[in-house]
Amino acid sequence: MDNLLAVRIQNKVDSFSKGQKRIAAYIEEHYDKVAFMTASKLGATVGVSESTVVRFATQIGYAGYPQLQQAIQEMIRNKLTSFQRMEVTSERIGNSDVLDFVFNQDIDVIRRTMEETNHDSFYKAVDSIVASRKIYILAARSALALGTFLSYYLNLLFENVLLVQATSEGEIFEQMIRVDQSDTVIGISFPRYSRKIAKAMNFAHDRGAKVIGITDSSLSPVAQASGCVLLARSEIASIVDSLCAPLSLINALIVATSLKKSEESKKIFQNLEDIWDAYGVYEKVDDSSN
């Protein structure tokens, strides 16, 4: 269990009631399950009332049970194995419809990301991208899909965009050998965080580049190396990382960037439309009624 939470509990253990001691013991042994339990379910599991659980949370220094639960969720996000993720998801879904559960979870994480996004950081990132000589995009594992999506659209808008192929640390540094203060490096990483991406972002930071981190927490290794951090919530859904909120954030980043250089973007896309039409890139669909 996280040292900070363990210390909070240890500092107050002498003042706990018998019920609160049972709560503390259960959290220490099953924190991966508690992270997604309601206060009433935790109380029922250990044999105490919901109000006892709430008092326990405030007694160890949290504003309430939701804040304690969020602290545990942040703590375990990068520690759960794939097997533990499947167990946790199975318990959370229970007898619910899987499709509805996942849709509702994604709706919730997008809403919370929208509420928590720092607008100043977002527009600072847009300005950095537009002003760059070269744009490097770093992403690996499941986040590679996000990096590929971002790279596709930025390559339409800018001449010098590189999606760094993160096959090995040596090759990453070779591809970034010329990075300097004229460039922007965008690193995308969500739990479990990629060590290679974090090291590459530290390298870019040391070379003076403008570093943008797209991640889920200001405590993530990607955020530590970033001059500008864009936070988007990701949720655990079995072995899958739910990346709908990061994708929405990246959509907004692409739209804001294209609008920032509006006239140039219009010319680029008009030219592209002419090329696509001339060379039959897209299938024409006749939508006329018979």
Side-chain angles (χ1 to χ4, degrees):
M1 190 171 65
D2 179 70
N3 287 337
L4 180 59
L5 179 57
V7 168
R8 283 178 181 250
I9 291 174
Q10 190 59 41
N11 286 343
K12 296 290 185 178
V13 68
D14 291 338
S15 63
F16 288 164
S17 65
K18 289 182 179 180
Q20 288 174 328
K21 287 179 179 177
R22 291 204 298 274
I23 296 170
Y26 189 83
I27 290 175
E28 289 175 352
E29 293 175 13
H30 305 285
Y31 59 88
D32 55 326
K33 295 180 180 179
V34 176
F36 302 100
M37 281 184 173
T38 62
S40 60
K41 186 172 182 180
L42 175 56
T45 301
V46 300
V48 300
S49 66
E50 181 178 350
S51 59
T52 300
V53 174
V54 174
R55 283 196 299 272
F56 171 85
T58 58
Q59 197 160 335
I60 62 173
Y62 293 99
Y65 181 74
Q67 287 70 34
L68 168 60
Q69 189 179 44
Q70 184 177 349
I72 299 174
Q73 288 176 2
E74 294 296 335
M75 177 186 77
I76 69 170
R77 195 175 297 279
N78 197 38
K79 297 179 181 179
L80 287 183
T81 65
S82 296
F83 176 76
Q84 287 174 315
R85 285 180 172 214
M86 291 186 72
E87 280 197 320
V88 167
T89 302
S90 179
E91 286 192 15
R92 292 177 67 195
I93 294 177
N95 295 323
S96 303
D97 182 85
V98 174
L99 181 63
D100 290 346
F101 176 87
V102 174
F103 275 152
N104 284 321
Q105 176 178 270
D106 284 351
I107 290 168
D108 182 57
V109 294
I110 290 176
R111 177 187 56 77
R112 287 191 290 164
T113 296
M114 183 174 67
E115 292 171 353
E116 297 167 5
T117 296
N118 185 305
H119 285 61
D120 290 339
S121 294
F122 176 83
Y123 290 108
K124 178 183 175 183
V126 172
D127 290 340
S128 294
I129 292 169
V130 171
S132 293
R133 178 195 65 176
K134 186 169 184 175
I135 302 164
Y136 295 83
I137 299 172
L138 295 164
R141 304 184 70 82
S142 61
L144 180 58
L146 298 173
T148 302
F149 183 85
L150 178 60
S151 173
Y152 172 78
Y153 282 100
L154 290 187
N155 263 302
L156 296 178
L157 296 169
F158 301 94
E159 292 183 14
N160 218 350
V161 178
L162 175 64
L163 176 61
V164 177
Q165 301 302 308
T167 51
S168 72
E169 288 179 16
E171 291 183 2
I172 290 173
F173 295 135
E174 288 166 10
Q175 293 173 70
M176 298 178 66
I177 190 64
R178 294 181 179 84
V179 69
D180 63 23
Q181 64 273 11
S182 303
D183 304 322
T184 291
V185 176
I186 305 171
I188 308 171
S189 190
F190 290 85
R192 292 184 279 180
Y193 307 110
S194 168
R195 182 175 292 134
K196 289 187 294 188
I197 300 304
K199 286 184 177 180
M201 292 185 72
N202 279 310
F203 172 75
H205 178 269
D206 292 343
R207 297 291 290 267
K210 295 178 284 292
V211 182
I212 300 169
I214 300 178
T215 187
D216 69 317
S217 169
S218 58
L219 299 178
S220 85
V222 167
Q224 302 304 305
S226 302
C228 180
V229 181
L230 302 179
L231 298 181
R233 290 187 171 271
S234 67
E235 274 296 350
I236 297 167
S238 190
I239 60 171
V240 178
D241 296 317
S242 176
L243 298 177
C244 61
L247 181 58
S248 286
L249 179 63
I250 287 171
N251 279 341
L253 200 61
I254 294 166
V255 171
T257 301
S258 66
L259 292 176
K260 186 79 174 180
K261 46 184 299 181
S262 176
E263 290 306 314
E264 187 176 347
S265 296
K266 288 177 183 177
K267 291 178 182 177
I268 290 170
F269 283 103
Q270 183 57 60
N271 190 26
L272 280 170
E273 289 293 343
D274 292 341
I275 293 170
W276 291 335
D277 187 54
Y279 289 92
V281 172
Y282 293 112
E283 188 70 34
K284 292 184 180 295
V285 179
D286 184 7
D287 59 356
S288 59
S289 302
N290 291 327

Short mmCIF file of all heavy atoms in Angstrom, two decimals, residues 101-147:
data_model
loop_
_atom_site.label_atom_id
_atom_site.label_comp_id
_atom_site.label_asym_id
_atom_site.label_seq_id
_atom_site.Cartn_x
_atom_site.Cartn_y
_atom_site.Cartn_z
N PHE A 101 -22.37 -0.46 -19.03
CA PHE A 101 -21.38 -0.12 -18.01
C PHE A 101 -20.20 0.63 -18.63
O PHE A 101 -19.78 1.68 -18.13
CB PHE A 101 -20.88 -1.38 -17.31
CG PHE A 101 -19.78 -1.14 -16.31
CD1 PHE A 101 -20.08 -0.81 -15.00
CD2 PHE A 101 -18.43 -1.22 -16.68
CE1 PHE A 101 -19.07 -0.58 -14.08
CE2 PHE A 101 -17.42 -0.99 -15.78
CZ PHE A 101 -17.73 -0.67 -14.46
N VAL A 102 -19.67 0.12 -19.74
CA VAL A 102 -18.50 0.73 -20.36
C VAL A 102 -18.86 2.09 -20.95
O VAL A 102 -18.11 3.07 -20.80
CB VAL A 102 -17.91 -0.20 -21.44
CG1 VAL A 102 -16.79 0.51 -22.20
CG2 VAL A 102 -17.37 -1.47 -20.81
N PHE A 103 -20.02 2.20 -21.61
CA PHE A 103 -20.44 3.49 -22.15
C PHE A 103 -20.57 4.53 -21.04
O PHE A 103 -20.09 5.66 -21.16
CB PHE A 103 -21.79 3.36 -22.87
CG PHE A 103 -21.68 2.90 -24.30
CD1 PHE A 103 -22.72 2.20 -24.90
CD2 PHE A 103 -20.55 3.17 -25.06
CE1 PHE A 103 -22.63 1.78 -26.22
CE2 PHE A 103 -20.45 2.77 -26.38
CZ PHE A 103 -21.49 2.07 -26.95
N ASN A 104 -21.23 4.16 -19.94
CA ASN A 104 -21.42 5.10 -18.84
C ASN A 104 -20.10 5.50 -18.19
O ASN A 104 -19.91 6.66 -17.79
CB ASN A 104 -22.38 4.51 -17.79
CG ASN A 104 -23.82 4.53 -18.24
OD1 ASN A 104 -24.27 5.49 -18.87
ND2 ASN A 104 -24.57 3.48 -17.94
N GLN A 105 -19.18 4.55 -18.09
CA GLN A 105 -17.87 4.87 -17.53
C GLN A 105 -17.14 5.87 -18.42
O GLN A 105 -16.55 6.84 -17.93
CB GLN A 105 -17.04 3.59 -17.40
CG GLN A 105 -15.61 3.84 -16.91
CD GLN A 105 -14.83 2.55 -16.75
OE1 GLN A 105 -14.83 1.95 -15.69
NE2 GLN A 105 -14.18 2.11 -17.80
N ASP A 106 -17.21 5.66 -19.74
CA ASP A 106 -16.53 6.57 -20.67
C ASP A 106 -17.16 7.96 -20.64
O ASP A 106 -16.46 8.97 -20.70
CB ASP A 106 -16.57 6.01 -22.09
CG ASP A 106 -15.58 4.87 -22.29
OD1 ASP A 106 -14.76 4.64 -21.39
OD2 ASP A 106 -15.64 4.20 -23.34
N ILE A 107 -18.48 8.02 -20.54
CA ILE A 107 -19.16 9.31 -20.43
C ILE A 107 -18.68 10.06 -19.19
O ILE A 107 -18.40 11.26 -19.22
CB ILE A 107 -20.70 9.12 -20.37
CG1 ILE A 107 -21.21 8.65 -21.74
CG2 ILE A 107 -21.40 10.41 -19.95
CD1 ILE A 107 -22.65 8.15 -21.71
N ASP A 108 -18.53 9.33 -18.09
CA ASP A 108 -18.12 9.94 -16.83
C ASP A 108 -16.69 10.46 -16.91
O ASP A 108 -16.41 11.57 -16.44
CB ASP A 108 -18.24 8.91 -15.70
CG ASP A 108 -17.86 9.50 -14.35
OD1 ASP A 108 -18.49 10.51 -13.95
OD2 ASP A 108 -16.94 8.96 -13.70
N VAL A 109 -15.76 9.70 -17.51
CA VAL A 109 -14.36 10.16 -17.54
C VAL A 109 -14.19 11.35 -18.49
O VAL A 109 -13.37 12.24 -18.23
CB VAL A 109 -13.38 9.03 -17.92
CG1 VAL A 109 -13.35 7.97 -16.85
CG2 VAL A 109 -13.67 8.43 -19.28
N ILE A 110 -14.97 11.41 -19.57
CA ILE A 110 -14.91 12.58 -20.44
C ILE A 110 -15.44 13.81 -19.71
O ILE A 110 -14.84 14.89 -19.78
CB ILE A 110 -15.71 12.34 -21.75
CG1 ILE A 110 -14.99 11.31 -22.63
CG2 ILE A 110 -15.89 13.65 -22.51
CD1 ILE A 110 -15.76 10.94 -23.88
N ARG A 111 -16.54 13.64 -18.98
CA ARG A 111 -17.11 14.77 -18.23
C ARG A 111 -16.12 15.28 -17.20
O ARG A 111 -15.88 16.49 -17.08
CB ARG A 111 -18.41 14.33 -17.53
CG ARG A 111 -19.04 15.42 -16.67
CD ARG A 111 -20.22 14.90 -15.88
NE ARG A 111 -19.85 13.75 -15.05
CZ ARG A 111 -19.19 13.86 -13.90
NH1 ARG A 111 -18.83 15.05 -13.43
NH2 ARG A 111 -18.91 12.78 -13.19
N ARG A 112 -15.49 14.37 -16.45
CA ARG A 112 -14.55 14.79 -15.42
C ARG A 112 -13.29 15.42 -16.03
O ARG A 112 -12.75 16.38 -15.48
CB ARG A 112 -14.17 13.61 -14.54
CG ARG A 112 -15.29 13.19 -13.58
CD ARG A 112 -14.80 12.21 -12.55
NE ARG A 112 -14.49 10.91 -13.14
CZ ARG A 112 -13.77 9.97 -12.55
NH1 ARG A 112 -13.22 10.21 -11.37
NH2 ARG A 112 -13.57 8.81 -13.13
N THR A 113 -12.85 14.91 -17.16
CA THR A 113 -11.70 15.51 -17.84
C THR A 113 -12.02 16.92 -18.30
O THR A 113 -11.20 17.84 -18.15
CB THR A 113 -11.29 14.65 -19.05
OG1 THR A 113 -10.85 13.37 -18.58
CG2 THR A 113 -10.16 15.31 -19.83
N MET A 114 -13.20 17.14 -18.83
CA MET A 114 -13.62 18.46 -19.28
C MET A 114 -13.65 19.45 -18.11
O MET A 114 -13.20 20.59 -18.22
CB MET A 114 -15.00 18.39 -19.94
CG MET A 114 -15.47 19.71 -20.51
SD MET A 114 -17.02 19.56 -21.44
CE MET A 114 -18.16 19.14 -20.12
N GLU A 115 -14.14 18.99 -16.96
CA GLU A 115 -14.23 19.86 -15.79
C GLU A 115 -12.86 20.21 -15.22
O GLU A 115 -12.67 21.29 -14.65
CB GLU A 115 -15.07 19.17 -14.70
CG GLU A 115 -16.55 19.03 -15.06
CD GLU A 115 -17.30 18.17 -14.07
OE1 GLU A 115 -16.65 17.56 -13.18
OE2 GLU A 115 -18.54 18.08 -14.18
N GLU A 116 -11.90 19.30 -15.37
CA GLU A 116 -10.61 19.47 -14.70
C GLU A 116 -9.50 19.98 -15.61
O GLU A 116 -8.42 20.31 -15.13
CB GLU A 116 -10.18 18.12 -14.10
CG GLU A 116 -11.15 17.63 -13.01
CD GLU A 116 -10.92 16.17 -12.63
OE1 GLU A 116 -9.93 15.57 -13.14
OE2 GLU A 116 -11.71 15.64 -11.83
N THR A 117 -9.74 20.06 -16.92
CA THR A 117 -8.69 20.48 -17.85
C THR A 117 -8.32 21.94 -17.63
O THR A 117 -9.19 22.81 -17.54
CB THR A 117 -9.14 20.27 -19.31
OG1 THR A 117 -9.33 18.88 -19.55
CG2 THR A 117 -8.08 20.79 -20.27
N ASN A 118 -7.02 22.20 -17.56
CA ASN A 118 -6.52 23.56 -17.40
C ASN A 118 -6.47 24.23 -18.77
O ASN A 118 -5.68 23.85 -19.63
CB ASN A 118 -5.12 23.51 -16.77
CG ASN A 118 -4.57 24.90 -16.46
OD1 ASN A 118 -4.49 25.75 -17.34
ND2 ASN A 118 -4.19 25.11 -15.22
N HIS A 119 -7.31 25.23 -18.97
CA HIS A 119 -7.40 25.88 -20.28
C HIS A 119 -6.12 26.62 -20.65
O HIS A 119 -5.73 26.65 -21.82
CB HIS A 119 -8.60 26.83 -20.31
CG HIS A 119 -9.92 26.13 -20.43
ND1 HIS A 119 -10.37 25.25 -19.48
CD2 HIS A 119 -10.88 26.18 -21.40
CE1 HIS A 119 -11.55 24.78 -19.85
NE2 HIS A 119 -11.88 25.32 -21.01
N ASP A 120 -5.47 27.24 -19.66
CA ASP A 120 -4.22 27.96 -19.94
C ASP A 120 -3.16 27.00 -20.47
O ASP A 120 -2.45 27.31 -21.43
CB ASP A 120 -3.71 28.66 -18.68
CG ASP A 120 -4.58 29.84 -18.28
OD1 ASP A 120 -5.32 30.36 -19.15
OD2 ASP A 120 -4.53 30.24 -17.11
N SER A 121 -3.04 25.83 -19.85
CA SER A 121 -2.06 24.83 -20.30
C SER A 121 -2.41 24.33 -21.70
O SER A 121 -1.52 24.11 -22.53
CB SER A 121 -2.03 23.65 -19.32
OG SER A 121 -1.54 24.05 -18.06
N PHE A 122 -3.70 24.16 -21.96
CA PHE A 122 -4.14 23.68 -23.27
C PHE A 122 -3.72 24.65 -24.37
O PHE A 122 -3.12 24.24 -25.39
CB PHE A 122 -5.66 23.49 -23.27
CG PHE A 122 -6.22 23.08 -24.60
CD1 PHE A 122 -6.20 21.75 -25.01
CD2 PHE A 122 -6.77 24.03 -25.46
CE1 PHE A 122 -6.71 21.38 -26.25
CE2 PHE A 122 -7.28 23.66 -26.70
CZ PHE A 122 -7.25 22.33 -27.09
N TYR A 123 -4.00 25.94 -24.19
CA TYR A 123 -3.68 26.91 -25.24
C TYR A 123 -2.18 27.21 -25.31
O TYR A 123 -1.66 27.57 -26.38
CB TYR A 123 -4.51 28.18 -25.06
CG TYR A 123 -5.96 27.93 -25.37
CD1 TYR A 123 -6.93 27.89 -24.37
CD2 TYR A 123 -6.37 27.68 -26.68
CE1 TYR A 123 -8.26 27.62 -24.66
CE2 TYR A 123 -7.70 27.42 -26.99
CZ TYR A 123 -8.63 27.39 -25.97
OH TYR A 123 -9.94 27.11 -26.27
N LYS A 124 -1.48 27.01 -24.20
CA LYS A 124 -0.02 27.11 -24.23
C LYS A 124 0.54 25.99 -25.11
O LYS A 124 1.48 26.21 -25.89
CB LYS A 124 0.54 26.99 -22.80
CG LYS A 124 2.05 27.04 -22.71
CD LYS A 124 2.52 26.85 -21.28
CE LYS A 124 4.04 26.77 -21.20
NZ LYS A 124 4.51 26.51 -19.79
N ALA A 125 -0.03 24.81 -25.01
CA ALA A 125 0.40 23.68 -25.84
C ALA A 125 0.13 23.97 -27.31
O ALA A 125 0.97 23.68 -28.18
CB ALA A 125 -0.32 22.41 -25.41
N VAL A 126 -1.02 24.53 -27.62
CA VAL A 126 -1.36 24.87 -29.00
C VAL A 126 -0.34 25.86 -29.57
O VAL A 126 0.17 25.68 -30.69
CB VAL A 126 -2.78 25.47 -29.09
CG1 VAL A 126 -3.06 26.01 -30.50
CG2 VAL A 126 -3.82 24.41 -28.72
N ASP A 127 -0.02 26.89 -28.80
CA ASP A 127 0.95 27.90 -29.26
C ASP A 127 2.32 27.27 -29.50
O ASP A 127 3.02 27.61 -30.47
CB ASP A 127 1.08 29.02 -28.23
CG ASP A 127 -0.18 29.89 -28.16
OD1 ASP A 127 -0.96 29.88 -29.13
OD2 ASP A 127 -0.37 30.57 -27.14
N SER A 128 2.73 26.36 -28.63
CA SER A 128 4.02 25.69 -28.78
C SER A 128 4.07 24.88 -30.07
O SER A 128 5.06 24.90 -30.80
CB SER A 128 4.30 24.77 -27.58
OG SER A 128 4.45 25.50 -26.40
N ILE A 129 3.00 24.15 -30.35
CA ILE A 129 2.96 23.31 -31.54
C ILE A 129 3.04 24.18 -32.81
O ILE A 129 3.81 23.89 -33.72
CB ILE A 129 1.66 22.47 -31.55
CG1 ILE A 129 1.72 21.42 -30.43
CG2 ILE A 129 1.45 21.80 -32.90
CD1 ILE A 129 0.41 20.71 -30.18
N VAL A 130 2.25 25.23 -32.85
CA VAL A 130 2.21 26.09 -34.03
C VAL A 130 3.56 26.77 -34.28
O VAL A 130 3.96 26.96 -35.44
CB VAL A 130 1.09 27.15 -33.88
CG1 VAL A 130 1.16 28.19 -34.99
CG2 VAL A 130 -0.28 26.48 -33.87
N ALA A 131 4.28 27.11 -33.22
CA ALA A 131 5.54 27.86 -33.35
C ALA A 131 6.76 26.97 -33.58
O ALA A 131 7.87 27.46 -33.74
CB ALA A 131 5.75 28.72 -32.10
N SER A 132 6.59 25.66 -33.59
CA SER A 132 7.73 24.74 -33.62
C SER A 132 8.35 24.57 -35.00
O SER A 132 7.65 24.58 -36.01
CB SER A 132 7.30 23.36 -33.11
OG SER A 132 6.99 23.43 -31.76
N ARG A 133 9.66 24.35 -34.99
CA ARG A 133 10.36 23.98 -36.22
C ARG A 133 10.03 22.53 -36.58
O ARG A 133 9.77 22.20 -37.73
CB ARG A 133 11.87 24.13 -36.01
CG ARG A 133 12.71 23.71 -37.22
CD ARG A 133 14.17 23.54 -36.84
NE ARG A 133 14.33 22.43 -35.89
CZ ARG A 133 15.51 22.01 -35.44
NH1 ARG A 133 16.62 22.61 -35.84
NH2 ARG A 133 15.58 21.01 -34.59
N LYS A 134 10.05 21.65 -35.55
CA LYS A 134 9.74 20.25 -35.75
C LYS A 134 8.94 19.74 -34.55
O LYS A 134 9.16 20.19 -33.42
CB LYS A 134 11.03 19.43 -35.92
CG LYS A 134 10.80 17.96 -36.28
CD LYS A 134 12.09 17.27 -36.70
CE LYS A 134 11.83 15.84 -37.14
NZ LYS A 134 13.03 15.18 -37.67
N ILE A 135 8.02 18.83 -34.83
CA ILE A 135 7.18 18.26 -33.78
C ILE A 135 7.48 16.77 -33.67
O ILE A 135 7.38 16.03 -34.65
CB ILE A 135 5.69 18.47 -34.09
CG1 ILE A 135 5.38 19.96 -34.25
CG2 ILE A 135 4.82 17.85 -33.00
CD1 ILE A 135 4.04 20.24 -34.92
N TYR A 136 7.88 16.35 -32.48
CA TYR A 136 8.13 14.94 -32.20
C TYR A 136 6.96 14.40 -31.37
O TYR A 136 6.54 15.05 -30.40
CB TYR A 136 9.42 14.74 -31.42
CG TYR A 136 10.67 15.13 -32.15
CD1 TYR A 136 11.10 16.45 -32.19
CD2 TYR A 136 11.46 14.17 -32.78
CE1 TYR A 136 12.27 16.82 -32.85
CE2 TYR A 136 12.64 14.52 -33.44
CZ TYR A 136 13.04 15.84 -33.46
OH TYR A 136 14.20 16.20 -34.11
N ILE A 137 6.47 13.22 -31.70
CA ILE A 137 5.39 12.60 -30.93
C ILE A 137 5.89 11.28 -30.38
O ILE A 137 6.40 10.43 -31.12
CB ILE A 137 4.14 12.38 -31.80
CG1 ILE A 137 3.62 13.73 -32.32
CG2 ILE A 137 3.05 11.66 -31.01
CD1 ILE A 137 2.51 13.60 -33.33
N LEU A 138 5.78 11.13 -29.06
CA LEU A 138 6.24 9.94 -28.36
C LEU A 138 5.04 9.20 -27.77
O LEU A 138 4.26 9.79 -27.02
CB LEU A 138 7.19 10.31 -27.23
CG LEU A 138 8.52 10.96 -27.62
CD1 LEU A 138 9.15 11.61 -26.39
CD2 LEU A 138 9.47 9.92 -28.19
N ALA A 139 4.90 7.94 -28.11
CA ALA A 139 3.81 7.13 -27.55
C ALA A 139 4.19 5.66 -27.71
O ALA A 139 4.88 5.29 -28.65
CB ALA A 139 2.49 7.42 -28.24
N ALA A 140 3.72 4.85 -26.78
CA ALA A 140 4.03 3.42 -26.84
C ALA A 140 2.86 2.62 -26.28
O ALA A 140 1.98 3.15 -25.61
CB ALA A 140 5.30 3.12 -26.05
N ARG A 141 2.89 1.34 -26.57
CA ARG A 141 1.89 0.39 -26.08
C ARG A 141 0.49 0.88 -26.47
O ARG A 141 0.28 1.32 -27.59
CB ARG A 141 2.08 0.15 -24.58
CG ARG A 141 3.50 -0.34 -24.25
CD ARG A 141 3.68 -0.67 -22.79
NE ARG A 141 2.94 -1.87 -22.43
CZ ARG A 141 3.37 -3.11 -22.63
NH1 ARG A 141 4.54 -3.33 -23.19
NH2 ARG A 141 2.63 -4.15 -22.28
N SER A 142 -0.50 0.83 -25.58
CA SER A 142 -1.85 1.20 -25.98
C SER A 142 -1.96 2.67 -26.39
O SER A 142 -2.80 3.04 -27.20
CB SER A 142 -2.85 0.89 -24.86
OG SER A 142 -2.55 1.63 -23.70
N ALA A 143 -1.09 3.52 -25.83
CA ALA A 143 -1.11 4.94 -26.17
C ALA A 143 -0.58 5.21 -27.57
O ALA A 143 -0.74 6.32 -28.09
CB ALA A 143 -0.29 5.74 -25.15
N LEU A 144 0.04 4.20 -28.21
CA LEU A 144 0.53 4.37 -29.57
C LEU A 144 -0.61 4.70 -30.52
O LEU A 144 -0.43 5.45 -31.50
CB LEU A 144 1.25 3.11 -30.03
CG LEU A 144 1.83 3.13 -31.45
CD1 LEU A 144 2.81 4.28 -31.63
CD2 LEU A 144 2.50 1.80 -31.77
N ALA A 145 -1.80 4.16 -30.26
CA ALA A 145 -2.96 4.47 -31.11
C ALA A 145 -3.26 5.97 -31.06
O ALA A 145 -3.58 6.59 -32.09
CB ALA A 145 -4.18 3.68 -30.64
N LEU A 146 -3.13 6.58 -29.88
CA LEU A 146 -3.35 8.02 -29.75
C LEU A 146 -2.26 8.80 -30.48
O LEU A 146 -2.54 9.80 -31.14
CB LEU A 146 -3.36 8.41 -28.27
CG LEU A 146 -4.45 7.80 -27.40
CD1 LEU A 146 -4.22 8.16 -25.93
CD2 LEU A 146 -5.83 8.27 -27.85
N GLY A 147 -1.00 8.34 -30.34
CA GLY A 147 0.10 9.02 -31.01
C GLY A 147 -0.03 8.96 -32.52
O GLY A 147 0.24 9.94 -33.23
#
